[in-house]
Amino acid sequence: MKILNFHIRGKMAHFRRYYSNSSALSYSIPPRTTIIGFIAGLLGYERDSYYDEFAPAQCSVAVGIQSPQKKNIQTVSLLMIKSTNDLNGSQPFHSQTPTEIITPVHLRHGFLDYEVWFHHQNQRIMDNLYAQLRLKYGYLTRGVSAALGTAQHVGWVEDGKVLEGEEEGQAEAFIHSVIPVSNISKLNLVNHEYELHLQKEDMPIHFHNDRTIASKGNFMINASASPVHATVHRAVRLSDERIITWMEA
Amino acid sequence: MIINNNSDFLFAFEANMSNPNGDPDQENKPRMDYETKTALVSDARRKRDCRNFFKAKGMPIFVDTLREQKVTMEKMLEHYRNQWLTDDQKMMALFDENAELKELWEKLSKKSKKTTYLDVYQDKDFQKDKKEFGLFNNLFITQLIQKELIDIRLFGSAMAVDNVSRTFTGPVQITWGYSMHPVDLVKSNTISSIMNEDNSTFGKKHKLHYGLFMHSGTINKLSARLTGMTEQDRELFRASLVQGMLMNQTDSKQGQTPLFYLEIQYTPSFDGFLGDLRRFLKVGCNEQQPIRSFSDLSLDDSELVEAVQYMKQAGYIDRVVGWFHPVLKVSNILRVDIDQMVDLWAPVELAGIDR
């Protein structure tokens, strides 16, 4: 199958955890819902209009961290919103909200780098997206600007290319994407060749049309930005010889 | 005229013995990434400067008070609605521009015997068909907000009319800024005191010795269509970045000086962006020496020159717009070709801006 491969890059990111309220915590990677939102945004879909067309039955997404990153908490002073009537800041006080921001380990010299693999059954969507991503510098968009999680974390897209991928059953290999915990049969971590900083995060996979959660799953992430040796039930072997796993329940 | 092309922009300022953005969780110390000694400034700080500038110039803004009073959004919208409904010329011009709105008004007003716009609007008969009236109201108020409130046209907002909430993504997006080099906090904290008759309060002020900060940002033509951001709004935005900062001479913000503003304007047919421009700039310094002024830094924009040249040759860039601090000689350091220089120190007329 054809797989689109590209990098979402930026200086800062915030992927809001859906259950945070008085504090704004962030996932370490863009969840599947964020990535389909990003792609739909570039293709010119309106907010909340694309969930059916980008459902797990129609399209598969994988993501990997390609540059070391860290989290930094900044308390930001937001408007206190108790009802829609307060959207103009009519409440007497502001809300001090601790906000987790993801930055490169070295903010000034580095950048965040999320490598994305994307397959959609609809070849037209694949062609349209590829057309947006094949510039030498920058990217094209029919809608919003590329941003990492929230609109002000302006980023960019680079290195768009088309790969061939072949789905495999049981595989024992270095996996270059985050791995759904349900897909892991064994982690082979003794004498591991690369640095490991493993963490598990529970993330949404898809939304209903009203933006409530349709499915979620646990994912194993290596925050030190290198592949993890694991035995998995299902994998995808890419034409560049790397192996990834889709984000699925 | 609504803007019809995308832009990426870069705004640089220096902060001398200043606190560009305090962290409320840490005694208002400058926001920092302590591991890399990099100071941070939120996007909200920049937008607040812009809003304060617009307000000082007499332009109504959404995140604001009404006659010095905090009022709910409903009250604020009612104020603008009534202002429009009592101005026949404004209403006629609005209907001329918006056929759908005019059609709905004519349909609903047939049922009313009243004559003035305001009386008709407030008539029970006009509001009888809840669905059609709701539709009219939604369109009407969205139009009013866009026409009246420059901060919504630039930065967008979540809004709710008749409890229908809508989110307008702002065409102008500004990133968090950061210092392009390691910074030092002033070791001795100034002690401020508030003297009252029978007691006094002591507090600390935290400042940075020196920081060169940059924010990057985008202006998106498609989002501009939705919020109604015009060419004139773009000019006001640039001026507000520079003059809003200069205007803010509080104890913590004095010492902030805008240094330059670059805007890469793409051709109307180009539907893309380069994205965060700071990745194309290299700021060098001797990390063993204290950094206390712009002259302790070097700035290399050769990667930006290369990217701009490529994009120009491909026909994607219409022009590069630039502003440099007229006295500090920063323009000599950047090599990127500027096609149009603008004067962002030029006075902006007070209020009553004709749009």
Side-chain angles (χ1 to χ4, degrees):
Chain A
M1 79 177 115
K2 290 259 182 288
I3 292 174
L4 259 175
N5 175 215
F6 56 93
H7 290 252
I8 302 174
R9 290 173 174 148
K11 282 288 183 180
M12 284 192 189
H14 175 78
F15 308 114
R16 179 72 171 265
R17 287 184 195 249
Y18 69 89
Y19 49 79
S20 49
N21 44 33
S22 64
S23 57
L25 302 174
S26 173
Y27 297 111
S28 305
I29 57 159
R32 184 183 177 281
T33 43
T34 304
I35 294 172
I36 59 168
F38 184 94
I39 290 170
L42 293 188
L43 292 174
Y45 287 78
E46 293 276 328
R47 188 184 165 90
D48 293 341
S49 71
Y50 53 84
Y51 301 132
D52 287 342
E53 237 178 309
F54 288 78
Q58 323 290 322
C59 73
S60 304
V61 176
V63 64
I65 299 179
Q66 297 302 354
S67 178
Q69 59 184 44
K70 64 184 181 189
K71 284 179 177 173
N72 184 326
I73 290 194
Q74 292 290 325
T75 296
V76 291
S77 187
L78 300 178
L79 297 181
M80 175 75 84
I81 309 290
K82 290 190 167 167
S83 78
T84 50
N85 227 339
D86 300 327
L87 289 167
N88 63 336
S90 54
Q91 285 283 334
F93 302 106
H94 277 203
S95 157
Q96 310 290 317
T97 308
T99 304
E100 251 183 345
I101 293 169
I102 305 175
T103 70
V105 166
H106 205 299
L107 175 62
R108 281 177 274 123
H109 305 309
F111 49 79
L112 299 171
D113 186 350
Y114 300 103
E115 183 165 11
V116 177
W117 295 270
F118 175 74
H119 168 74
H120 201 291
Q121 284 181 353
N122 183 339
Q123 188 56 40
R124 195 175 44 82
I125 290 183
M126 294 286 280
D127 293 342
N128 286 346
L129 182 60
Y130 180 53
Q132 307 289 95
L133 302 180
R134 59 181 171 199
L135 297 183
K136 179 181 172 191
Y137 284 106
Y139 61 95
L140 299 176
T141 175
R142 297 177 193 176
V144 290
S145 314
L148 284 79
T150 56
Q152 76 269 29
H153 294 311
V154 173
W156 66 96
V157 199
E158 267 171 343
D159 294 345
K161 50 182 170 291
V162 180
L163 300 174
E164 274 298 324
E166 206 170 309
E167 290 193 332
E168 290 186 351
Q170 182 98 353
E172 184 183 342
F174 279 104
I175 312 290
H176 288 256
S177 63
V178 305
I179 314 171
V181 171
S182 60
N183 191 6
I184 300 172
S185 76
K186 196 176 159 214
L187 288 174
N188 314 311
L189 305 181
V190 183
N191 300 326
H192 200 273
E193 194 174 323
Y194 302 103
E195 198 183 324
L196 292 170
H197 178 178
L198 297 183
Q199 57 201 50
K200 199 173 80 171
E201 288 185 20
D202 187 31
M203 295 188 290
I205 290 172
H206 200 58
F207 284 145
H208 294 298
N209 282 328
D210 61 356
R211 218 180 171 87
T212 53
I213 289 178
S215 64
K216 61 191 183 75
N218 255 312
F219 292 87
M220 202 201 60
I221 298 162
N222 186 7
S224 64
S226 43
V228 176
H229 203 270
T231 310
V232 295
H233 304 300
R234 295 172 305 284
V236 181
R237 183 177 294 277
L238 302 170
S239 47
D240 63 9
E241 289 307 311
R242 292 187 296 171
I243 292 180
I244 57 167
T245 55
W246 295 128
M247 298 173 103
E248 50 195 7
Chain B
M1 195 178 89
I2 307 275
I3 61 161
N4 66 350
N5 55 355
N6 288 338
S7 313
D8 278 305
F9 64 85
L10 190 69
F11 173 61
F13 70 97
E14 63 175 18
N16 226 321
M17 294 296 277
S18 180
N19 181 358
N21 196 194
D23 184 347
D25 243 10
Q26 304 220 44
E27 318 178 329
N28 210 39
K29 281 181 183 162
R31 292 189 190 278
M32 288 279 286
D33 169 26
Y34 287 99
E35 274 177 8
T36 60
K37 292 176 73 180
T38 308
L40 305 169
V41 185
S42 73
D43 60 305
R45 177 61 262 173
R46 278 293 69 73
K47 292 180 207 159
R48 191 72 251 173
D49 273 1
C50 296
R51 284 194 170 100
N52 287 346
F53 175 78
F54 296 137
K55 192 177 174 180
K57 290 292 172 187
M59 290 174 236
I61 53 174
F62 182 62
V63 183
D64 194 15
T65 51
L66 205 60
R67 299 185 201 99
E68 305 301 319
Q69 298 284 313
K70 288 219 174 206
V71 296
T72 61
M73 193 178 61
E74 256 172 39
K75 271 243 152 33
M76 184 175 246
L77 297 183
E78 188 188 299
H79 167 81
Y80 288 115
R81 196 184 63 209
N82 292 347
Q83 216 175 50
W84 276 69
L85 287 166
T86 45
D87 188 330
D88 290 2
Q89 275 188 337
K90 271 188 171 176
M91 290 303 290
M92 282 194 288
L94 185 67
F95 288 149
D96 275 351
E97 270 177 46
N98 201 311
E100 197 185 352
L101 202 62
K102 188 179 180 185
E103 211 173 291
L104 276 165
W105 174 271
E106 280 169 356
K107 201 166 160 192
L108 291 166
S109 61
K110 265 187 204 149
K111 296 165 194 157
S112 169
K113 294 190 180 70
K114 303 281 168 47
T115 47
T116 69
Y117 283 111
L118 184 62
D119 287 345
V120 172
Y121 182 86
Q122 287 172 341
D123 193 350
K124 272 194 202 118
D125 290 327
F126 183 84
Q127 304 192 4
K128 207 169 180 179
D129 186 337
K130 287 276 170 279
K131 200 174 156 207
E132 297 253 286
F133 174 70
L135 194 64
F136 171 81
N137 219 15
N138 232 310
L139 263 176
F140 182 40
I141 291 183
T142 308
Q143 282 286 317
L144 294 195
I145 286 170
Q146 291 180 357
K147 296 227 177 279
E148 290 288 342
L149 305 167
I150 184 169
D151 56 340
I152 298 233
R153 296 196 299 273
L154 294 175
F155 306 134
S157 174
M159 274 197 310
V161 179
D162 291 338
N163 287 323
V164 181
S165 49
R166 285 189 71 183
T167 302
F168 288 101
T169 304
V172 175
Q173 292 296 333
I174 311 174
T175 62
W176 277 57
Y178 59 87
S179 67
M180 305 298 285
H181 55 88
V183 295
D184 296 316
L185 282 167
V186 177
K187 291 278 190 312
S188 139
N189 308 317
T190 318
I191 290 177
S192 62
S193 56
I194 303 157
M195 296 290 194
N196 294 328
E197 268 178 30
D198 47 1
N199 59 6
S200 56
T201 322
F202 292 89
K204 284 179 186 171
K205 285 184 223 165
H206 299 274
K207 296 195 173 186
L208 296 174
H209 273 288
Y210 180 82
L212 166 66
F213 288 83
M214 288 191 199
H215 292 267
S216 193
T218 61
I219 305 177
N220 184 310
K221 62 182 173 187
L222 297 171
S223 306
R225 220 179 277 164
L226 298 178
T227 67
M229 177 185 166
T230 63
E231 279 295 341
Q232 191 176 18
D233 291 340
R234 186 206 316 259
E235 286 171 23
L236 286 169
F237 165 65
R238 292 174 188 153
S240 72
L241 269 180
V242 168
Q243 296 181 35
M245 175 173 280
L246 290 173
M247 216 172 66
N248 188 4
Q249 294 294 329
T250 57
D251 183 87
S252 68
K253 302 292 180 282
Q254 61 182 339
Q256 290 193 152
T257 309
L259 291 180
F260 63 86
Y261 173 86
L262 286 181
E263 186 181 305
I264 298 178
Q265 273 188 22
Y266 302 104
T267 51
S269 60
F270 179 67
D271 293 328
F273 295 92
L274 279 168
D276 198 324
L277 297 175
R278 293 171 297 187
R279 70 188 194 270
F280 299 117
L281 292 176
K282 297 255 177 309
V283 172
C285 61
N286 179 352
E287 296 205 17
Q288 311 308 317
Q289 300 279 331
I291 297 159
R292 295 292 181 263
S293 74
F294 192 73
S295 58
D296 296 326
L297 301 169
S298 64
L299 184 57
D300 175 10
D301 67 343
S302 44
E303 283 183 40
L304 183 65
V305 170
E306 206 177 298
V308 167
Q309 259 168 10
Y310 174 85
M311 299 291 275
K312 271 190 178 170
Q313 270 161 17
Y316 299 152
I317 291 182
D318 181 33
R319 63 193 144 158
V320 178
V321 177
W323 171 83
F324 295 95
H325 189 289
V327 183
L328 306 170
K329 302 282 179 212
V330 240
S331 56
N332 316 341
I333 298 163
L334 288 183
R335 294 190 303 117
V336 65
D337 277 337
I338 311 286
D339 304 302
Q340 183 195 350
M341 293 294 279
V342 285
D343 179 5
L344 299 185
W345 267 14
V348 170
E349 303 260 328
L350 253 179
I353 282 175
D354 181 23
R355 299 187 66 247

